[in-house]
């Protein structure tokens, strides 16, 4: 994919994405509350969207702010969020995150990536989602879909999500920074799949180098 094609690619994605549902965290993020976005993103890691949404609703029905969740016994959190992936570990992290925010930051979620990364279980994907969806600040959230698809396009040639984020910060126009995750998560789940992507159905076919794709 040449650099000049990126505007056309995003125009096409803008048309295509409304046919499918938003990722679970983006749905929860409509209220723009940084704390619920943070916790929902922790829940979403290696978990399907429907499972994440159900777990988040159950947990937030019990408590939806740092002080409330910090007071919940870990076993209560576990029962609320089951069956998300690694629910034992996530329950412990959610409890610790809530206590730290309540005690160290007076109940306010930090709005910078570096501080967020100090929280247990929080990586760059989660931190970027919090600052973009919760604080409307510039950031690029890179998950497996963003990493895979941008490399499949031939737009990047990177080895891991961290390198993908750093290179996108250099190459991708800023107007697409907050859109790329929602767009490519949805597109990666429905068209540009990890295995057997639906290339003949893809409106981006003419712009994609299909790196690593074995077409029949």
């Amino acid at each position: 994919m040449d650099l000049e094609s990126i505007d056309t690619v995003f125009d096409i994605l803008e048309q295509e994405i409304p046919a499918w549902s938003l990722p679970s965290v983006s749905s929860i993020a409509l209220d723009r509350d940084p704390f619920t976005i943070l916790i929902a993103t922790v829940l979403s890691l290696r978990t399907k969207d429907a499972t994440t949404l159900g777990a988040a609703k159950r947990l937030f029905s019990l408590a939806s702010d740092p002080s409330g969740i910090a007071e919940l016994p870990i076993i209560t959190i576990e029962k609320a969020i089951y069956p998300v992936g690694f629910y034992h570990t996530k329950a412990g992290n959610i409890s610790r995150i809530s206590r730290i925010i309540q005690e160290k930051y007076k109940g306010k979620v930090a709005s910078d990536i570096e501080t967020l990364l100090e929280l247990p279980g929080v990586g760059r994907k989660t931190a970027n989602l919090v600052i973009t969806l919760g604080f409307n600040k510039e950031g690029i959230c890179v998950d497996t879909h963003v990493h895979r698809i941008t490399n499949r396009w031939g737009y990047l040639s990177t080895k891991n999500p961290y390198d993908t984020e750093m290179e996108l910060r250099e190459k991708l126009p800023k107007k697409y920074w907050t859109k790329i995750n929602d767009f490519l998560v949805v597109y990666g789940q429905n068209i540009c799949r990890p295995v057997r992507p639906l290339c003949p159905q893809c409106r981006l076919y003419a712009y994609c180098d299909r790196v690593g794709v074995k077409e029949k």
Side-chain angles (χ1 to χ4, degrees):
M1 177 185 291
D2 58 71
L3 295 179
E4 290 72 24
S5 298
I6 200 66
D7 289 323
T8 302
V9 164
F10 270 85
D11 284 345
I12 293 171
L13 288 171
E14 193 94 48
Q15 298 165 26
E16 294 288 288
I17 296 307
W20 300 290
S21 299
L22 284 172
S24 57
V25 174
S26 296
S27 299
I28 293 167
L30 294 177
D31 64 1
R32 295 288 176 183
D33 176 57
F35 181 72
T36 55
I37 293 168
L38 170 59
I39 299 304
T41 307
V42 170
L43 290 172
S44 74
L45 303 176
R46 299 187 183 182
T47 301
K48 292 182 178 179
D49 280 352
T51 304
T52 298
L53 281 171
K57 288 178 181 178
R58 291 190 297 274
L59 178 61
F60 296 149
S61 71
L62 300 175
S64 59
D65 59 25
S67 62
I69 290 183
E71 292 177 358
L72 296 175
I74 290 180
I75 191 165
T76 300
I77 299 174
E78 288 179 349
K79 288 179 179 179
I81 68 174
Y82 179 84
V84 299
F86 306 98
Y87 70 96
H88 286 298
T89 300
K90 289 178 181 178
N93 285 339
I94 287 168
S95 180
R96 288 192 291 274
I97 287 169
S98 300
R99 289 200 307 273
I100 291 169
I101 292 173
Q102 183 63 26
E103 295 169 6
K104 188 173 181 179
Y105 301 110
K106 299 180 180 180
K108 301 294 183 181
V109 176
S111 61
D112 65 282
I113 288 177
E114 290 72 21
T115 303
L116 289 167
L117 290 174
E118 295 175 0
L119 297 171
V122 173
R124 292 195 67 86
K125 170 191 171 180
T126 299
N128 271 292
L129 271 177
V130 171
I131 68 164
T132 56
L133 299 181
F135 293 101
N136 199 30
K137 297 174 70 174
E138 290 179 347
I140 302 178
C141 178
V142 175
D143 71 345
T144 56
H145 292 292
V146 175
H147 174 62
R148 179 184 75 255
I149 294 172
T150 52
N151 278 272
R152 184 176 279 172
W153 284 347
Y155 186 65
L156 305 181
S157 180
T158 53
K159 294 182 178 180
N160 55 62
Y162 177 83
D163 290 345
T164 296
E165 180 191 336
M166 295 302 109
E167 191 160 339
L168 285 172
R169 286 177 178 271
E170 295 294 325
K171 295 178 67 173
L172 186 68
K174 285 189 176 182
K175 60 185 175 180
Y176 302 130
W177 282 22
T178 58
K179 293 181 178 181
I180 191 169
N181 184 258
D182 276 357
F183 283 10
L184 296 195
V185 167
V186 173
Y187 215 66
Q189 291 171 341
N190 293 281
I191 298 293
C192 197
R193 300 170 180 174
V195 180
R196 297 179 183 174
L198 305 179
C199 294
Q201 300 178 32
C202 182
R203 288 185 60 194
L204 304 181
Y205 189 93
Y207 306 97
C208 178
D209 293 348
R210 296 178 294 286
V211 176
V213 176
K214 296 180 180 179
E215 296 184 72
K216 294 182 179 180

